[in-house]
Amino acid sequence: MKYLGVVGALLGLSLLGVPALADETKQPAPRVGQVVIESMGPASGTIPKGKLATIVNYIHADKHTWYKNGSRHSAKHPNSKGTQRNLHDRFVLKMRYGLGDGYDVRFAMPIVMNNFRAHSTLTPNSVSSKNGIGDTTFVLHKQFLSQREGSPVDMAWDLGVWTPTGSTSDDGVGTGAWGAMAGLGVGHAFDGGRQFVEGEVMYLYRGVGHTSRVDVSDVFRLNGRYVYALSQHWDMGVETQFEYNTDSRRYGRSNNDASTTWFAGPSVTLKLPEYNASLGVSAQFSLYQNYDAVARIEKVDYPTAASLGERWKLEAKLAIVF
């Protein structure tokens, strides 16, 4: 029932835009705005030359479930101290600057807060939290096909660098690894720009982390969305995000800690064209999760803090273009 309440709140918020439809009948057809879920987007678009976009993403998740091959299991502590739990909050500061000719540069810096249930969650050296600035990504983005120029779709590529800016202490959230990423996005607007469908694929390779001889996991990510512009000020859509993290490796041997997550859910965006700003909210529900990382204690497998999943999460995004 609580999931239906979240969806109902989003739907109710979107209906606030219905009266605006009557006021905007004489205006040009509305066009869709920004993607809501965390990504380096717009995946298939670009930023006009000389424009600076500042974006803040916020993600909240209550991680207290252990997922194995899509099935939910209780995240019990080996000493019967109760269910393991991680209250996860993450802000991501992103900036994008248009260079012209389809090029723009982007960076994303996360600020992460993981707060664990005291004395009942398996964490490195029993820390009660892992907080701080995470590793930062810098990306060069190029749109090489554009519907505005007669192509049937928008299409763009990404080339980026993962930099170890986060702390690597037991209570830090950095990896200590350098990495390289590449991505491709494709989108198609139709119905006069009122409807838009888009997808993006990305692969991130990361090398040796702060612990000698340990290769940090690589990341494969696939995002998609469909958005309908209700009016000049309101969008509503469906967004999805799939992510696979490979096993990390120590001395060339797998640590058996791969993970797979797939979420999807509705999104609502308030567009403020007079301020070049937008505010979006999305409720993302778990479709499939699997975490291989376990702690084996007395021949019994238990989840660790790294293998706790959430049944749903809330994402919000504020974007302003200068």
Side-chain angles (χ1 to χ4, degrees):
M1 291 299 293
K2 62 181 180 180
Y3 302 148
L4 294 177
V6 173
V7 176
L10 290 172
L11 292 172
L13 182 61
S14 70
L15 292 177
L16 293 175
V18 172
L21 294 175
D23 297 334
E24 296 175 356
T25 54
K26 296 182 180 180
Q27 297 186 18
R31 301 181 66 88
V32 298
Q34 293 267 351
V35 60
V36 177
I37 59 175
E38 181 187 356
S39 71
M40 290 300 292
S44 61
T46 188
I47 305 295
K49 182 178 180 180
K51 293 292 185 179
L52 174 67
T54 302
I55 302 99
V56 177
N57 281 95
Y58 170 70
I59 301 94
H60 170 77
D62 185 354
K63 299 172 177 283
H64 60 271
T65 305
W66 182 25
Y67 286 88
K68 289 294 293 181
N69 298 318
S71 299
R72 294 199 302 260
H73 302 271
S74 176
K76 293 181 179 180
H77 189 276
N79 295 330
S80 300
K81 295 181 178 180
T83 301
Q84 301 190 56
R85 187 179 188 183
N86 173 15
L87 286 176
H88 174 86
D89 294 281
R90 182 167 74 255
F91 292 90
V92 184
L93 173 63
K94 295 184 286 190
M95 301 187 77
R96 306 168 188 148
Y97 183 77
L99 301 176
D101 196 27
Y103 285 96
D104 63 69
V105 288
R106 312 175 174 194
F107 90 91
M109 181 181 69
I111 301 173
V112 183
M113 292 165 282
N114 292 300
N115 293 293
F116 308 110
R117 178 170 286 172
H119 310 300
S120 66
T121 304
L122 296 175
T123 60
N125 292 332
S126 299
V127 297
S128 60
S129 63
K130 290 175 70 68
N131 305 320
I133 295 174
D135 295 335
T136 302
T137 306
F138 296 88
V139 174
L140 174 65
H141 180 87
K142 165 64 174 177
Q143 184 188 57
F144 59 91
L145 291 179
S146 172
Q147 286 187 261
R148 294 178 182 270
E149 298 177 356
S151 297
V153 296
D154 294 330
M155 190 171 289
W157 52 253
D158 290 322
L159 292 175
V161 178
W162 174 280
T163 61
T165 55
S167 170
T168 58
S169 61
D170 285 340
D171 60 355
V173 294
T175 63
W178 287 85
M181 62 84 68
L184 184 69
V186 58
H188 176 69
F190 55 102
D191 192 15
R194 190 163 199 157
Q195 300 185 63
F196 187 64
V197 60
E198 184 178 54
E200 62 176 327
V201 60
M202 182 274 290
Y203 192 87
L204 168 65
Y205 165 80
R206 295 182 292 190
V208 178
H210 71 284
T211 302
S212 179
R213 302 293 184 180
V214 174
D215 291 332
V216 179
S217 63
D218 296 349
V219 181
F220 170 79
R221 186 175 296 148
L222 183 65
N223 293 335
R225 65 169 179 148
Y226 164 79
V227 185
Y228 180 81
L230 294 170
S231 70
Q232 297 287 353
H233 290 92
W234 292 95
D235 288 349
M236 189 167 185
V238 177
E239 303 191 31
T240 183
Q241 48 190 273
F242 173 90
E243 183 174 303
Y244 173 68
N245 288 262
T246 67
D247 291 324
S248 63
R249 306 186 70 83
R250 181 174 178 83
Y251 295 103
R253 300 181 63 180
S254 170
N255 288 321
N256 298 315
D257 56 358
S259 65
T260 304
T261 61
W262 182 22
F263 289 84
S267 63
V268 176
T269 300
L270 169 63
K271 300 173 293 186
L272 300 171
E274 59 271 32
Y275 301 108
N276 290 324
S278 64
L279 174 64
V281 180
S282 178
Q284 292 284 299
F285 298 90
S286 175
L287 299 180
Y288 179 88
Q289 293 184 71
N290 179 62
Y291 295 90
D292 290 341
V294 296
R296 178 162 283 256
I297 301 174
E298 296 181 354
K299 299 183 179 180
V300 178
D301 290 338
Y302 294 92
T304 66
S307 53
L308 297 178
E310 64 272 34
R311 296 187 182 185
W312 67 280
K313 59 184 176 180
L314 180 68
E315 300 204 23
K317 177 179 181 178
L318 173 65
I320 305 176
V321 179
F322 299 95

